Amino acid sequence: MKARIGTIAAALAVVATGGLALAAGGLALPRAPVDADYRAVDPAEAKLGQLLFYDPILSGNRNIACATCHHPRFATSDGLSLSLGEGGTGLGPERVVDPVNLPEQRVPRNAQALFNLGAREFTVMFHDGRIEVDPTRPSGLRTPLEDEMTAGFASLLSAQTMFPVLSPDEMAGHYGESDVSKAVRLGRLTGPGGAWDIIAQRVAAIPDYAAMFAAVEPEIAAGREIGFTDISDAVAAFVEAEWRSDDSPFDAFLRGEAALSGDAARGMALFYGPLGCAACHSGAFQTDHRFHAMGEPQIGPGKGARFERHRRDEGRMEVTGRAEDAFHFRTPSLRNVTETGPWGHAGAHRDLAAFLRDHAEPSRAIGRYDVAAAVLPPLDGARDFDGLMSDGVEIAAAVEVADRALGEAEVTALLAFLAALRDETALSGRLGIPASVPSGLPVPR
């Protein structure tokens, strides 16, 4: 123990001098993000994207907006372990089942936060990485649509933003409820008459949207029809501008503009030193963009196809088909992490301190997990299960790190450091919630 205390003390000594390299373990602090890390954003396109992001016109039944599950009130997530999309009513933890339109099931994974997704280094998206940059593909992207994937998206984020509209549980809706949901269930996703095309025609039929698209896209002004990629590009531009997050106290420290002290400094030394958190949470945005098996509990319906009856979520293996990728999930970025709970790819923990303790000793923690730690509105009469998935033993066996119990002082220090990643500008947003949207539909507030 004396050696370990000495290591932390040495690390803190470097922190105290404002140095950018930790002596302990040879690990270095990351550099601060800079403008070159991000794409340039057209303000007019971002404003258009803001309206589309909050407009339910993009959903099959015109009742769910992107903001329903990614709302600034809940740090660009929704405050639930597993979202209720189609069949839900209300917002955030107050969202409940619509008794006259029951959901088929919960969304199987936690709604991820949107901070910094426009940064250039983000070349893989979603918990399992099922959408990623791939120059060998005609579209430049590898996605579940494979060769049917539409080309022309301005960025990976643009493509990512528009997959939720194809999900029956998220935005598309139940079979037969709308033209979009019918197209999705019949497998008509891209191309003329596909779900994306139907949504694009809806948007183009609204005069205000048509005028705004013509103002930001010369080809549309010259007569080209509004395409689905135009919509997704605008939404992505908004997300990039609205939730760029690089103005936290930790960023100010890295730029040499301020100091971290007390528990925040101690937590930083632990994070980048003896606890080894930065082995995965590395770089300017605290993510290596890779996939790891960390033994997080899984709750809810699982990630199987509709015809499958199992309740499993095999993570990256669902994408690669490789057995060694079972239960591996993408390292999340940690900007504003103290505000983005519940935590874990299934949102199994509503308390961040409890998540940190379990995350540090996952093999033991999964056996003691209680689903009461999750935030799950009651869901009756639909395919669902609120308890721990039955493959907990397999999940624990896949864990790739050794268990290490955290002391209370360590938890306190880590929480203080993670709080130093809080960016008030990004949390507040830059454009905010629009007063209304061109469709005239209700804006989620």
Side-chain angles (χ1 to χ4, degrees):
M1 178 60 76
K2 287 184 179 179
R4 184 167 165 271
I5 292 173
T7 299
I8 296 173
L12 285 172
V14 176
V15 171
T17 64
L20 294 185
L22 289 178
L27 292 177
L29 291 174
R31 62 171 178 80
V34 296
D35 288 346
D37 292 326
Y38 302 89
R39 296 188 323 137
V41 175
D42 177 356
E45 187 176 28
K47 177 62 178 177
L48 171 55
Q50 175 210 24
L51 298 175
L52 290 163
F53 186 89
Y54 286 94
D55 197 334
I57 193 71
L58 301 186
S59 63
N61 290 324
R62 297 175 172 83
N63 60 341
I64 298 169
C66 302
T68 302
C69 295
H70 297 283
H71 202 279
R73 279 174 53 191
F74 311 105
T76 72
S77 184
D78 64 355
L80 294 172
S81 297
L82 302 172
S83 301
L84 284 178
E86 182 59 47
T89 182
L91 199 63
E94 297 177 356
R95 191 167 178 81
V96 295
V97 168
D98 182 350
V100 299
N101 180 32
L102 290 177
E104 292 183 4
Q105 64 178 29
R106 301 181 198 275
V107 177
R109 291 176 181 155
N110 181 255
Q112 292 185 284
L114 304 182
F115 301 107
N116 289 323
L117 292 187
R120 298 181 190 276
E121 71 173 58
F122 284 75
T123 59
V124 60
M125 297 282 182
F126 290 126
H127 290 289
D128 57 12
R130 62 188 180 274
I131 296 180
E132 60 185 318
V133 172
D134 185 347
T136 69
R137 303 293 177 105
S139 66
L141 305 171
R142 187 179 61 74
T143 79
L145 294 180
E146 294 293 347
D147 294 338
E148 294 183 37
M149 182 62 185
T150 299
F153 291 97
S155 65
L156 177 70
L157 176 59
S158 174
Q160 182 271 339
T161 60
M162 289 298 105
F163 271 81
V165 304
L166 302 179
S167 168
D169 299 315
E170 294 182 64
M171 296 179 71
H174 303 152
Y175 183 77
E177 288 184 333
S178 72
D179 48 359
V180 173
S181 66
K182 289 177 183 177
V184 168
R185 297 302 176 111
L186 292 172
R188 297 201 302 264
L189 308 178
T190 63
W196 280 350
D197 182 50
I198 293 169
I199 294 171
Q201 290 185 41
R202 283 186 185 178
V203 171
I206 298 174
D208 285 350
Y209 276 136
M212 284 186 282
F213 272 109
V216 301
E217 179 51 68
E219 290 184 1
I220 294 175
R224 176 172 67 77
E225 292 185 354
I226 296 170
F228 191 78
T229 55
D230 298 309
I231 295 170
S232 61
D233 287 350
V235 171
F238 167 66
V239 172
E240 290 179 63
E242 185 78 346
W243 292 302
R244 170 173 165 169
S245 182
D246 54 6
D247 195 25
S248 69
F250 182 56
D251 293 308
F253 168 77
L254 293 178
R255 291 192 296 262
E257 299 169 355
L260 291 184
S261 61
D263 281 334
R266 284 186 282 274
M268 180 174 64
L270 289 167
F271 187 97
Y272 287 100
L275 293 185
C277 307
C280 299
H281 292 286
S282 58
F285 303 111
Q286 291 79 47
T287 173
D288 61 0
H289 303 285
R290 299 177 67 183
F291 303 87
H292 303 279
M294 296 300 296
E296 293 172 10
Q298 296 186 356
I299 54 179
K303 191 61 178 171
R306 277 296 197 271
F307 61 83
E308 295 177 306
R309 304 308 302 175
H310 68 70
R311 292 186 305 99
R312 293 171 64 86
D313 188 343
E314 295 170 324
R316 184 63 172 167
M317 180 179 167
E318 299 275 351
V319 176
T320 67
R322 297 193 300 254
E324 60 268 30
D325 289 335
F327 309 116
H328 284 62
F329 293 88
R330 183 177 172 274
T331 305
S333 174
L334 298 182
R335 293 311 171 98
N336 303 302
V337 67
T338 56
E339 312 305 313
T340 59
W343 293 272
H345 66 267
H349 289 81
R350 71 172 72 205
D351 180 80
L352 183 55
F355 174 80
L356 291 176
R357 295 186 191 98
D358 285 1
H359 194 61
E361 50 176 353
S363 296
R364 287 197 293 266
I366 197 166
R368 65 182 182 236
Y369 177 76
D370 185 343
V371 74
V375 182
L376 294 167
L379 176 54
D380 299 321
R383 179 189 174 201
D384 189 54
F385 184 80
D386 291 342
L388 188 67
M389 287 188 182
S390 57
D391 48 17
V393 173
E394 293 180 74
I395 293 171
V399 170
E400 58 186 32
V401 297
D403 284 350
R404 182 200 182 284
L406 294 177
E408 288 306 305
E410 291 174 317
V411 172
T412 298
L414 285 174
L415 288 172
F417 169 61
L418 295 177
L421 295 171
R422 178 185 169 99
D423 179 346
E424 297 294 343
T425 300
L427 285 168
S428 298
R430 293 164 173 85
L431 293 177
I433 303 172
S436 61
V437 291
S439 70
L441 293 167
V443 175
R445 300 190 177 282

